Amino acid sequence: MDRRAVFTTYPTLVAIFAFSCQPLQEVDPRSPEAESDSFRLADPDLRISLVASEPNILSPVDISWGPDGELYVAEMTGYPVTPGKGAVKQLTDPDGDGFYDQMTVFADGFDFPSSVMYFREGLLIADAPNIFHLRDEDGDGVADTKEVYLTGFNKSNEQYLVNSLHWGLDNWIYGASGRSGGAVKFAGGEAETSVDNRDFRFHPIKEEVEAVTGRSQFGLARDDWGHRFTTLNHRFARQVMLEEQHLARNPSLSTSAVFDTYQSEHDRKVFGLLKGTLRFNRDPVGYFTSLSGLTVNRGHLMGPDYHGDFFAGESVQAAVIHRRMETNGPVFQAHNTVQGAEFLASTDGWFHPVNFSNGPDGAFYVVDFYRRFVEHPEWVHNRNGEGVDWNEGEKHGRIWRVAHKDAAREPQRMQPDLSRASADELVSQLGDPAGWRRDMAQQLLIEQQDKSALAPLEEMLGHHSAVGRGHALWTLHGLGLLTEGHIQTALEDPEAMIKVQGIQLVEDLGKSEALMEQMKSLAMDENGMIRYHALLAAGSSQDAQEVFLRSAATYSDQWTRVAMLSGSAPWASTFARQLLQTPAGEIGSRDLAFFRRIGESVASTADPKAAWINSLLSGSTPVGLRAISFLNGYLGAMRDLGAEHQAPGTPLVSQLLDFAQDQSAGTSEMAVELLQYSDSKAAREGLMAIATGSSNSEARMTAVTALSGLDEPMHAQALFENVSSMDPIVRKALIAGSLRSGAATGALLSSIRDESISLTEIPEEVRRALLAHEDFETKELANDLLGAAVDSDRQAIIDRYLAVLDEQTVDLAHGAKVFSTNCTTCHAVNGIGGLLGPDLTNIGSRSDDVLLTSILDPGRMVSYELKLRIITTKSGQVYAGTVSAESATSLTVRSADGSEKTLLKSNIEQDTWTEQSIMPEGYERIINEQDMASLIGFLREPSAVIPESLR
């Protein structure tokens, strides 16, 4: 088959999303009316209408209403690279027809104002490095005072700035650090709080700043019950599961503190309407690539079916993403309710939904950045970005209102005007169906600190609206009026979420004996949400040991176990001993992982060398799988801490060697792993025999990994002498694990020099880690062997392939084989393959130029998530790859071979970021022009042939 035949058969695939071809997107903007005609709502019962547009607003990125109904708009007119052009506008709708037709410039001269929020008769405006507080003293719509309120946020790429200020249910103001971090403090204060790799909150009354779990890019959502959700450009909604205090009380807790709410790659698909657009980012179209503005619909005018649903803008693909959440125990899981279409999509490539808001009327509002480009030139190669006017269309902008078609056509005037409302009137709003009104009423009550609200708030605790009862609880707390009796009432509420609010208030205020008894009861609740939060609240208390044991014996779900790990650290040794003495029952992989992590906790406690642990290590009595898993966690953590420990005794080694012969899934691998902690001859010989001769590939990989980390030249050399007879997957594991010790690293380099391992087998992260090795001699040898392995003139190679690609014959089956051999570790097509890199199912719509650049010069534009990190632990082991998960206490490194290792930050000696991609350069050495033509043909038509090797 000739390549040109492929193009003839599939003409629509050619040149879409190409840099070098004529863009299909119209150059001129559409009028608001014409843009409205381009919209397609998936639900015909909804209606979208314009509420503001240019010339009144330009390049809007956030909106906020004041208590009197005036709308404030943050404009990032200078985006992406022109500071000083930002402004905040005040919009009014004097005739109440639903269109804001009067505008005043509230304040201007900002660089890149990314968030606006009503606060204390004025506005908070985020403009890194500061959050300003501005007030209009004379009521003319123009700010008269401007003061720095918070400062210290890092200035970075304009997509990574502090954003998403909002009032939390718990009376703190939350914000996203935008992935830029900083050392934040109140203006005039001295105490700084690091928000690196975390988001933040500050208390308006106490004037305290805290870092909080999460690292959101642009958008930070909360639901009616205070659950927090973060977002990244390719991650829709990630639920915060553990707060800083839950992580801090167990420094050995190695777990992700967030939960990805979508459950499959299919949930990441985007069904846009654009037929073509000029874009520069190489992420595949048809999947999440530019998500922002994550918001929960907490109003009522779209109808009850949409209350509590999640929305985010896919701004590059001109679509609004909608997911419905269902609870599964303590976690939320996202579901796409409409297949093959998005909630809102447009054929207008200038439509960029970057943010959303719940309105005072209960409708849902869409902030439309509306301009030609929304991408940032930092991630565009100069050759592709030359001559681009990045500010084209900056004097446009729209805000849209979405409501049910039967709802009032226009927003109603603010009734009552909350800026003039009494305490009784404000409390009455806490049960309103519009989430904005509930939040604003609570905020005003807290700001005013009016204690006369006590009686109506207590009355609200009996309100028919559960969310009203929740707001009343937290308002009482914020006014200093909350009593133990109020909390008891909440803990006995028929609504599960109100019980959870009561539990969180117990945790916040302290645990009396009576409340602790309630926690112990709720920690055994059948409702997973209640049980999880009760276990978190009961944690660290000696009184909780009994209920922790009962819960561990009854429930084996992941998050119940995480809650127990978080809270049991002070008495981890006792807890572990008692658990190991309970009948095993049916043991699953999750159960064994739990015991491993308990072992890690025990190792980090003040006196981990308990007699009962030494008795286990001696092997004087038979051990089971749970004990083996516990000891693996315990000894691994002791090694990472550099602490002395008893080695497995001869009887235990003998038992482990017997276990190693077991072919049951997971059993032999655990036993093999534990053998590495014994320096006995029997253990070493057993490991080597398994590494070189076992028929169980998983056990062989475990033995290879264990031996490569021992830093023993004899064993490292023996491993590499057998490398030619190893299965490809074991061979790959050996090469990837060679960074773990100096002996293994030396043996790897010797094998490369002797050509028993080819240069093409070396993963890019291993090559780069070797080139940057801290040992001078190792680094020199690596540079001699690997430094010149790849031609530095990547564009010349791309041009060479491009010049002859049309002359090659396409063999789709062969292209699938090339993909299977070289790409499936990191990439997937049609749901088959790895998830380290982007899904490539729809990448075939790109031009030859773009595809070749992606394959042959992956470092040209490296997305944040694919940057290579080289991490050295205090025990001298080196891990290289991407970071797939990170919390305040740990991070998880994923290597190109798909293996993962979770490391405690306290055990990390050096963490080196690079600007390089984990995807290797140099594919021209193993993929020739003919192979490349077939590979690209397969990527253009992956559904045509999926070989067995991919299934």
Side-chain angles (χ1 to χ4, degrees), residues 766-827:
V766 174
R767 186 180 79 88
R768 286 175 175 158
L770 291 171
L771 294 175
H773 205 281
E774 60 181 12
D775 180 74
F776 179 77
E777 291 184 2
T778 300
K779 183 177 180 179
E780 286 289 291
L781 180 56
N783 274 278
D784 288 343
L785 296 173
L786 302 169
V790 176
D791 190 334
S792 61
D793 190 350
R794 309 310 300 162
Q795 188 58 49
I797 295 169
I798 294 168
D799 292 341
R800 189 185 83 212
Y801 274 72
L802 196 60
V804 300
L805 209 58
D806 278 345
E807 301 170 5
Q808 310 304 314
T809 301
V810 172
D811 182 337
L812 294 182
H814 179 65
K817 183 177 180 181
V818 174
F819 182 85
S820 175
T821 302
N822 298 284
C823 312
T824 50
T825 296
C826 299
H827 300 285

Side-chain angles (χ1 to χ4, degrees), residues 543-592:
D543 294 338
Q545 290 190 57
E546 179 186 350
V547 73
F548 270 41
L549 284 169
R550 285 194 289 123
S551 184
T554 308
Y555 301 105
S556 62
D557 61 281
Q558 173 190 357
W559 292 104
T560 293
R561 296 293 174 84
V562 167
M564 288 188 286
L565 288 166
S566 166
S568 62
W571 29 275
S573 182
T574 304
F575 184 46
R577 178 173 56 83
Q578 292 174 326
L579 279 176
L580 286 170
Q581 291 173 347
T582 60
E586 185 176 347
I587 297 175
S589 59
R590 183 173 291 165
D591 191 54
L592 295 175

Side-chain angles (χ1 to χ4, degrees), residues 483-493 502 506 512 514-515 518:
T483 68
E484 188 169 313
H486 296 141
I487 297 177
Q488 288 282 7
T489 298
L491 296 177
E492 296 167 3
D493 196 282
V506 169
S512 70
L515 290 177
Q518 285 279 76

